[in-house]
Amino acid sequence: IFLSNIFVDPFSWWSDWKKLMGNVDKDNEPYSVLGELISYDYLLKNNKDPVWEGPESGTYDICTDAFDCEVKSTTVKGNKSVTISNINQLDAHKKPLHLYYCCFERSESGKSIEDILDVLKSHGENVEELERKLTTLGYPQGTSGRAIKYRLLSINDYIINDDFPKIVPSSFKEGVIPLGIERITYIVSLSGIASVAINYEL
């Protein structure tokens, strides 16, 4: 039955096959990458000297001298939850950690990855380096996803402190994950958690 699905629904078959083989799923929706680029641009405008780690396998999406930042995005209005893919994602180290939560909707009046690249270029950013990272994420030049436009509805800034619900290494006895546990993925509800609305304008 599993093999027969390749003919009926090849995309679902490929998704199931990756899970079966234990591969890390690095697929990104355009709005997810757009959220990171917009957050990066926002921090640039506010003179935070950010570094977009994005696809570089860094622990966090964006790093600044003052704090680190994880970016999550959604297109589901009213959705107040985020999926955390590993126990290090919300584990603050030497610097404070923030979670930027972006909400988008598809709209021809919105902005695309290409649009934000133009903005970043106008700010003097190294577009060649950004292009290299986008290619690593699966969005090389000419990719149709780079032209999909989304309207930004909101960005909220959550501080990952002791009150923020999370699973980190210190959640386990002596900071050691139980033997046999290979990966922990969990969902955090943001309902009722204090945040600060970010005003971002192009």
Side-chain angles (χ1 to χ4, degrees):
I1 295 176
F2 177 72
L3 288 176
S4 66
N5 287 343
I6 190 173
F7 302 107
V8 178
D9 190 347
F11 294 107
S12 292
W13 176 88
W14 175 240
S15 178
D16 291 340
W17 179 252
K18 286 191 294 182
K19 293 175 183 177
L20 180 65
M21 296 303 294
N23 289 347
V24 176
D25 192 346
K26 291 187 178 180
D27 294 338
N28 286 294
E29 294 289 346
Y31 63 81
S32 177
V33 178
L34 186 63
E36 291 186 27
L37 291 176
I38 284 177
S39 298
Y40 177 63
D41 184 53
Y42 168 76
L43 292 170
L44 275 174
K45 287 180 176 180
N46 285 273
N47 303 311
K48 300 299 182 181
D49 296 322
V51 175
W52 180 40
E53 297 289 349
E56 304 293 357
S57 297
T59 302
Y60 312 115
D61 294 320
I62 302 172
C63 296
T64 75
D65 290 337
F67 61 90
D68 295 318
C69 182
E70 189 67 21
V71 182
K72 296 291 184 180
S73 299
T74 185
T75 55
V76 182
K77 295 179 183 178
N79 182 40
K80 296 289 290 184
S81 64
V82 293
T83 298
I84 308 303
S85 59
N86 62 73
I87 64 170
N88 294 311
Q89 203 167 23
L90 297 184
D91 187 24
H93 296 299
K94 296 181 180 179
K95 294 180 288 185
L97 178 61
H98 290 242
L99 170 69
Y100 283 5
Y101 187 63
C102 307
C103 184
F104 294 98
E105 68 175 3
R106 279 285 293 268
S107 173
E108 286 305 311
S109 64
K111 301 297 179 182
S112 66
I113 291 174
E114 291 287 1
D115 294 327
I116 301 302
L117 278 179
D118 288 341
V119 172
L120 291 169
K121 183 177 180 180
S122 71
H123 293 166
E125 286 301 289
N126 186 335
V127 176
E128 184 176 321
E129 179 65 11
L130 293 174
E131 287 287 1
R132 184 185 66 78
K133 293 181 178 181
L134 285 170
T135 297
T136 302
L137 286 171
Y139 289 98
Q141 288 183 330
T143 305
S144 60
R146 289 172 52 142
I148 298 177
K149 294 180 179 292
Y150 296 90
R151 187 163 70 93
L152 180 65
L153 301 178
S154 62
I155 307 180
N156 285 84
D157 177 7
Y158 295 83
I159 298 178
I160 310 302
N161 53 25
D162 291 339
D163 295 327
F164 193 95
K166 58 188 179 295
I167 300 175
V168 294
S170 61
S171 301
F172 302 93
K173 185 178 181 180
E174 298 181 354
V176 179
I177 302 175
L179 186 65
I181 302 298
E182 296 183 357
R183 182 179 178 184
I184 295 176
T185 299
Y186 59 101
I187 297 175
V188 175
S189 172
L190 299 176
S191 297
I193 299 177
S195 67
V196 176
I198 290 176
N199 182 24
Y200 174 81
E201 294 182 3
L202 290 173

